[in-house]
Amino acid sequence: MSQELFVTNNVWMMVSIFLVFVMHLGFATLESGLARSKNTVNVLFKNSMIPAIGLITYALWGFSMMYPGESFAGGFFGFSNFGIPLPEGGETSAYNEGYTFWTDFLFQGMFAATAATIVSGAVAERIKLSAFIIFSILFVGLCYPIVGMWKWGGGFLNTLSIPFYDFAGSTLVHSVGGWGALAGIMLLGSRIGKYVDGKIKPIPGHSIPLATIGVFILWLGWFGFNGGSVLSADPGAVSRVLVMTSLAAAAGAIGGCLFSLIMFKASDITMVLNGILAGLVGITAGADQMGVTDSIIIGLVAGALVVLAVAFFDRIRIDDPVGALSVHLVCGIWGTLAVGIFGALAGIDQLISQLIGIGAIGVFSFVFAFAVWYVLKLTIGIRVSAREEIEGLDIHEHKMHAYPDFNGTGFEMSLDEKEMMIASNSRNHKEKEKPVVAE
């Protein structure tokens, strides 16, 4: 291989790293836009800490767990060493024709942090910051590298007679985060005022423009997420993946728009935005294996599924402020199954392998996350007090407001929250009025 080609491949991989890094800004703006203004600083804080946690834990042990090498890997677990020591030839094409060792680590490290970012949106507006940080360290540091090794590190899913296939992580990244989010929501409960007297009460986010900016940043970042997963700058392969990724995103927007019209008789921008993300998540497992028609169908179905899933989770009282479960869990599963239904790998044997991978990764991720959340709930607690939730996490967790000049109180309340606040203040007032009896 020529030095020029090696440099070109490595530069494309580094550009992909930059794009995936920018996705964290997309997640931050999307989640903060769909949350209430009183929780904006909290959302931004979590999304600023997650990349830091992801990179440090991945450097200390995660990378070596996920890619332990043949000498240190078993079917279900592997570990080579702590840290990321440079192997012989790690900075040359002797390591890989597409990238250096350092590029490999940084690209994979950016993926690792994404799983915890997905959880952040689903548990927003009522999670204790300390509990979320501890969960993120364990989830990104242990759960993600273990299941990632099962496929990408040469584990048992990669050694099936028909190997499980997940090109860029519909299951290994997105549904892993979705399972962690589901476990958290189940133990955390819904936000105050979301489900009252058997009725579902919408709690709108404070900034649709911010959410829209976030989605388009994420779409841009996905060019690196999927395009970089080619692991070289091969012109044909990269351009094909980028086209299929974009077609699925576009079809997802249309699917979300049409189904929101059918179900809610409204052109809901949030469903269009989540439809775009649903299409992107759906195509991620097989972007390199699909044709034009395949990609459009996958995106359309994903866009429809995200609308149906949002309604379903609300009906069963699973409160997900940003629709993370619908986008990442449901459409991650759909995209992984689609590999066995559409494209070059379609077939019943491949579909069975996809089901095995979805099941194994789903069970492990959910059980791991549930156990961590449950222990945290029993020890330090995972939910803020009612008063902290009503007044906002910004002022209680961070001692500041995101928009101090635009709201005299610094927070907004729903009618149900106002009633709870009045009742709380009334109780406190009565307690203060009690006469002091001298002993």
Side-chain angles (χ1 to χ4, degrees):
M1 167 181 246
S2 70
Q3 180 67 11
E4 290 78 9
L5 181 56
F6 173 66
V7 171
T8 301
N9 285 337
N10 193 66
V11 167
W12 166 243
M13 289 300 297
M14 288 191 288
V15 169
S16 296
I17 290 168
F18 306 155
L19 290 170
V20 178
F21 176 77
V22 168
M23 290 178 74
H24 291 288
L25 174 60
F27 280 119
T29 51
L30 170 63
E31 184 184 334
S32 60
L34 293 179
R36 287 165 290 185
S37 61
K38 63 186 179 181
N39 298 312
T40 303
V41 174
N42 183 255
V43 168
L44 296 176
F45 187 93
K46 289 187 296 178
N47 280 275
S48 298
M49 287 299 297
I50 286 169
I53 291 169
L55 281 173
I56 295 297
T57 57
Y58 208 63
L60 292 177
W61 63 78
F63 187 67
S64 292
M65 289 178 64
M66 194 161 171
Y67 298 98
E70 294 181 5
S71 303
F72 303 95
F76 296 90
F77 183 80
F79 183 71
S80 56
N81 48 252
F82 286 99
I84 44 173
L86 180 68
E88 185 177 351
E91 295 180 336
T92 70
S93 59
Y95 177 77
N96 188 286
E97 293 183 350
Y99 43 82
T100 69
F101 171 79
W102 300 121
T103 301
D104 187 17
F105 162 75
L106 198 54
F107 183 70
Q108 301 300 337
M110 290 300 167
F111 272 56
T114 303
T117 303
I118 293 165
V119 180
S120 171
V123 299
E125 302 203 287
R126 73 274 202 206
I127 189 74
K128 274 188 178 181
L129 182 61
S130 56
F132 178 79
I133 295 297
I134 294 170
F135 173 83
S136 297
I137 292 170
L138 296 174
F139 197 64
V140 176
L142 295 175
C143 181
Y144 173 75
I146 289 173
V147 298
M149 178 267 176
W150 291 355
K151 166 61 185 177
W152 291 338
F156 83 99
L157 291 176
N158 203 48
T159 59
L160 299 174
S161 56
I162 302 293
F164 170 73
Y165 196 83
D166 191 354
F167 173 64
S170 285
T171 283
L172 286 164
V173 177
H174 295 283
S175 74
V176 166
W179 289 116
L182 178 61
I185 294 173
M186 289 174 65
L187 289 170
L188 191 61
S190 61
R191 290 169 292 173
I192 295 171
K194 177 64 176 177
Y195 307 115
V196 180
D197 299 328
K199 295 180 180 180
I200 302 168
K201 297 195 174 184
I203 301 178
H206 85 282
S207 177
I208 294 301
L210 261 184
T212 304
I213 290 169
V215 168
F216 279 92
I217 291 173
L218 286 168
W219 191 343
L220 172 66
W222 234 284
F223 290 136
F225 199 89
N226 285 1
S229 294
V230 174
L231 303 180
S232 77
D234 180 274
V238 171
S239 57
R240 177 190 182 92
V241 165
L242 297 187
V243 168
M244 303 314 158
T245 297
S246 291
L247 289 175
I254 293 170
C257 176
L258 291 177
F259 264 75
S260 64
L261 277 171
I262 292 169
M263 291 187 65
F264 309 123
K265 304 297 186 291
S267 299
D268 189 335
I269 181 60
T270 63
M271 292 302 177
V272 171
L273 296 177
N274 273 337
I276 291 171
L277 298 179
L280 290 166
V281 171
I283 197 62
T284 293
D288 63 329
Q289 301 295 325
M290 302 301 169
V292 170
T293 304
D294 302 325
S295 301
I296 292 173
I297 293 173
I298 290 169
L300 281 171
V301 173
L305 281 175
V306 81
V307 177
L308 294 170
V310 167
F312 170 76
F313 285 123
D314 258 346
R315 182 165 295 180
I316 63 173
R317 304 301 188 263
I318 297 291
D319 183 17
D320 179 0
V322 303
L325 295 178
S326 304
V327 170
H328 299 281
L329 177 56
V330 173
C331 293
I333 291 172
W334 158 242
T336 310
L337 289 174
V339 172
I341 303 171
F342 303 99
L345 298 179
I348 187 64
D349 291 337
Q350 185 67 58
L351 187 59
I352 291 171
S353 291
Q354 299 303 97
L355 287 167
I356 292 171
I358 290 168
I361 292 169
V363 168
F364 182 84
S365 300
F366 180 79
V367 171
F368 182 97
F370 193 92
V372 173
W373 283 125
Y374 189 69
V375 170
L376 290 171
K377 185 174 183 177
L378 292 179
T379 52
I380 66 172
I382 61 175
R383 182 159 186 154
V384 298
S385 69
R387 186 178 189 88
E388 288 172 328
E389 182 179 345
I390 291 167
E391 294 184 350
L393 302 186
D394 287 2
I395 193 61
H396 284 282
E397 293 273 21
H398 308 281
K399 311 303 180 189
M400 66 177 67
H401 294 298
Y403 310 106
D405 297 330
F406 292 91
N407 190 333
T409 62
F411 63 90
E412 70 276 20
M413 293 187 288
S414 67
L415 289 175
D416 298 290
E417 288 176 326
K418 287 177 181 177
E419 290 174 2
M420 178 171 285
M421 180 64 78
I422 290 169
S424 175
N425 289 337
S426 176
R427 285 194 300 271
N428 292 338
H429 183 68
K430 288 179 180 179
E431 288 175 1
K432 290 178 181 178
E433 287 184 339
K434 287 181 180 179
V436 178
V437 179
E439 294 184 357

